[in-house]
Amino acid sequence: MHAIRSDDDLSRFLANGIERLRRDDPELYDLLQKEYLRQANVLTMVASSSIADPSALVCEAMPTMNVTAEGYPKARFHAGCRWIDEIEQLAIDRAKAAFGACYANVQPMSATSANEIVMFSVLEPGDTLLGLELDFGGHLTHGSKASISGQVFKAVGYGLTRDERIDYEQAERLAKEHRPKLIVCGTTAYPRQIDWARFRAIADAVGAYLLADITHIAGLVVAGLHPSPVDHAHFTTTCTHKQLYGGRGGLILIGKDFQKTGPDGKRTLAELVQKKVFPFFQGAPNQSAIAAKARGFAYVVSPEFQKVAMRIVALSNALAAAFMKKGHRVITGGTDNHIVVVDVFKRGITGVNAEKALEECGLVVNKNRIPYDVNPPTVTSGIRLGTNGLAIRQMEPGDMVECVELIDEVLAGVQQLNEREYNLDSKLRARIEGKVLELCQRRPIRTYPAPQLATRAA
Ligand code: DSN
C-alpha cells in the first residue's frame, strides 16, 4: 500500500468538493446552503426526523460511494472491496453490539424496504399478515393497501382501544381468526410503550412470525428507555436516521431466533434475510450510507447519547403536560417516548391547516390522523410532534412550555376558511417567527450556524 500523504487527507478532499460545488454549481450550492440555514432557524418537531451529527453526515459524502460491492463482506461479486468489507463489517458489529442482536443486516436502503424484505423472507404472495392499521398509528408497510405489504399479501389490521391503547385482545382475536403467518408490531404515531412479550405470545399461539418495527423508538431501545423487542420478535427492523442519528437507511436485526429455520424448514431466519436483501430485493448497497450507519451505531452507545435519550423523554413529557395545561387534548393523555399527538380539530382546526400555519412561523410539525379520526389522511384532525431534534438543541423541559405557548398562540390565531385553507394575521406570524428565532438562537444546534435574528433564510 502506498502511504497516505498529508495532502491526501479526507478533510482536504471534502473541503475541495465543497469549494468545487460552490464554484461550479452555485444554483445547487445555494439551495443546499438555504436548507442548512433553514434547519438552524426553525424548531423541527417532526417526530420522524432528527439532527444527525456532522461526523455521521460526512460519511455520506465519502468516496465509498464510488465502489460497487454486490454481496457481503468477504463474499462480493466485485473486486476492490477490501476497505468496504471492513467498513460494512464494522457497521454490522456495531449494530449487533448496540442492540444485543445475534444478526444484523445493514444494507437495506430504508425501513420500508427492511420491512418488505422481512415479509418476503417468510411469506408467499397471498399469505396473511396482521399489522396495526395505518389510521391507528401503524405504517404503510404494515399492511396498508397503498403499499406492497397490503397489495401482495392479505393484510388484516388491529387497532387501538377506545382509550387509545394498542388493542392486544383484538390483535389476539384476529390472529386466531385469520391465522396470519406474520404479525407486525411497531408504530409511527403511538406515544406509549409496546408490550413485545405479549405480541410474541400471540404470534406463538398461532404459529406466526413476529416483526417488530422500532423505527421511531430505536434510540430509546438502545438507551434502555424502552424495552427491547430484539429477543421477543423473530425480526426487528428500524431506519437508521431518526432516533439513531446516523446515515439514511434501514437495518434488520435478529435476536436469539437467528438460527431457527424458516418456513421451508431448511434455511435459518438469518440466511433467509441475507438472501432476500441481496440478490432478491437490492443490488449493490450504498456503502457511504453504511459508513454513516456505523457512525450512528457508535454514537448511540456513547454516554453522551444516554443523556440525549433521557432528554428526549423528559422534553416530550414536558411538551405533553404543557399542551394539556393549555386545555389541548393530547392522545393517550401523555407519552412514554418522544411522540406527542395533539387533537387540534377539537379546537376547530384541521391538522393540515395547523401544520401549514405553524410552519409559516418556524414551528415544524406534521399533520397526523388521530384514533377514530373523522378527517381523511390528507386533512387529519391532529398534529404529531417529536423531541429528537429539540434534544440535540439541549433544550430544557421549561423550554417546552415556551414552545407550547407559541404553538397555542398560532392555533388561536388561525381563521379556518375550509378544511385546507385558513388566514393567519401577518403581525402574529412575524411576532411568533421572531420568538422562534430567539429560541433557536438561545438553544442553537451546536454544529450549525447561530440563527441571525434579522436575516432569516427564506
Ligand atoms: N413513517 C413516516 C413517519 O413516521 O413520518 C416517515 O418515516
Side-chain angles (χ1 to χ4, degrees):
M1 284 301 295
H2 82 105
I4 294 180
R5 299 194 320 261
S6 61
D7 61 356
D8 286 338
D9 184 72
L10 269 178
S11 48
R12 185 181 283 261
F13 169 82
L14 287 177
N16 178 40
I18 291 278
E19 264 325 295
R20 289 184 60 165
L21 182 66
R22 190 206 298 265
R23 189 190 65 211
D24 297 344
D25 197 343
E27 185 183 9
L28 177 58
Y29 185 90
D30 182 51
L31 291 172
L32 292 167
Q33 171 76 12
K34 281 182 172 147
E35 173 55 20
Y36 174 50
L37 292 178
R38 184 194 70 83
Q39 291 184 25
N41 292 348
V42 299
L43 288 176
T44 299
M45 292 179 269
V46 172
S48 50
S49 69
S50 66
I51 298 164
D53 191 81
S55 66
L57 290 180
V58 292
C59 293
E60 299 263 14
M62 292 292 169
T64 35
M65 188 73 85
N66 301 333
V67 182
T68 296
E70 279 178 350
Y72 290 100
K74 307 247 183 282
R76 301 285 184 189
F77 287 83
H78 300 91
C81 297
R82 175 177 175 179
W83 302 116
I84 291 296
D85 278 4
E86 290 206 25
I87 291 166
E88 185 168 339
Q89 193 57 54
L90 184 66
I92 292 167
D93 294 343
R94 287 182 177 179
K96 283 161 69 176
F99 288 93
C102 299
Y103 167 85
N105 194 308
V106 296
Q107 293 194 3
M109 304 290 189
S110 65
T112 289
S113 52
N115 284 344
E116 288 161 358
I117 287 160
V118 168
M119 286 170 189
F120 280 94
S121 297
V122 291
L123 300 179
E124 297 294 332
D127 280 349
T128 302
L129 71 85
L130 175 66
L132 180 63
E133 294 272 7
L134 191 59
D135 286 357
F136 287 115
H139 188 246
L140 281 167
T141 54
H142 298 182
S144 161
K145 276 279 174 245
S147 97
I148 286 178
S149 62
Q151 292 192 14
V152 172
F153 307 111
K154 184 176 165 240
V156 180
Y158 57 90
L160 302 186
T161 57
R162 277 281 160 191
D163 65 353
E164 300 168 337
R165 305 300 164 122
I166 288 175
D167 193 340
Y168 295 94
E169 283 173 19
Q170 186 197 24
E172 186 170 8
R173 207 169 48 249
L174 290 171
K176 286 184 175 153
E177 188 184 333
H178 295 275
R179 313 297 293 186
K181 275 203 192 158
L182 179 72
I183 297 178
V184 187
C185 53
T187 74
T188 65
Y190 184 65
R192 295 299 180 178
Q193 286 204 354
I194 300 168
D195 187 343
W196 312 117
R198 191 152 179 199
F199 270 115
R200 177 61 185 253
I202 297 170
D204 283 346
V206 297
Y209 293 99
L210 182 65
L211 162 60
D213 177 350
I214 57 167
T215 285
H216 268 271
I217 53 168
L220 299 184
V221 167
V222 173
L225 299 179
H226 189 293
S228 170
V230 169
D231 281 329
H232 290 293
H234 296 90
F235 308 95
T236 298
T237 54
T238 179
C239 75
T240 48
H241 49 270
K242 292 188 173 86
Q243 232 175 34
L244 298 179
Y245 296 87
R248 191 158 270 272
L251 171 69
I252 301 175
L253 300 161
I254 308 181
K256 63 179 171 45
D257 288 319
F258 77 114
Q259 285 179 318
K260 198 173 174 164
T261 49
D264 66 2
K266 292 186 197 134
R267 283 171 299 174
T268 65
L269 298 185
E271 286 167 346
L272 282 168
V273 167
Q274 196 85 340
K275 286 267 186 291
K276 287 296 175 190
V277 172
F278 172 82
F280 182 80
F281 239 88
Q282 295 185 178
N286 180 344
Q287 294 295 346
S288 296
I290 288 174
K293 290 176 191 183
R295 181 69 205 114
F297 300 145
Y299 172 64
V300 291
V301 295
S302 67
E304 182 190 343
F305 178 71
Q306 187 68 32
K307 289 192 203 136
V308 169
M310 288 164 73
R311 196 182 286 271
I312 286 171
V313 177
L315 295 184
S316 64
N317 274 282
L319 198 61
F323 270 115
M324 290 188 290
K325 202 162 174 201
K326 282 266 169 204
H328 289 274
R329 188 172 89 81
V330 169
I331 302 309
T332 79
T335 180
D336 297 328
N337 54 35
H338 64 303
I339 294 174
V340 176
V341 184
V342 181
D343 178 355
V344 288
F345 201 55
K346 199 156 185 273
R347 293 277 180 98
I349 307 163
T350 58
V352 66
N353 281 343
E355 175 189 289
K356 283 197 225 152
L358 289 167
E359 184 172 6
E360 283 191 56
C361 303
L363 294 154
V364 187
V365 307
N366 73 280
K367 64 180 174 299
N368 213 94
R369 297 198 89 191
I370 59 172
Y372 303 98
D373 207 322
V374 292
N375 284 304
T378 51
V379 176
T380 83
S381 298
I383 53 172
R384 182 189 63 167
L385 304 92
T387 50
N388 295 339
L390 304 183
I392 294 296
R393 287 182 178 273
Q394 309 238 341
M395 286 192 157
E396 297 291 342
D399 295 323
M400 298 303 94
V401 176
E402 202 173 332
C403 284
V404 171
E405 290 280 350
L406 299 176
I407 292 169
D408 188 63
E409 271 192 72
V410 176
L411 295 180
V414 169
Q415 289 175 291
Q416 179 151 298
L417 304 175
N418 58 50
E419 62 180 23
R420 290 169 203 273
E421 290 177 303
Y422 63 94
N423 282 332
L424 188 67
D425 177 59
S426 56
K427 286 201 188 103
L428 173 71
R429 182 174 56 232
R431 189 162 54 77
I432 302 292
E433 200 181 19
K435 287 188 175 179
V436 169
L437 271 176
E438 270 171 39
L439 193 50
C440 290
Q441 200 176 46
R442 210 175 335 125
R443 301 282 187 206
I445 304 169
R446 225 169 358 110
T447 50
Y448 281 48
Q452 301 297 306
L453 286 184
T455 55
R456 179 171 167 174

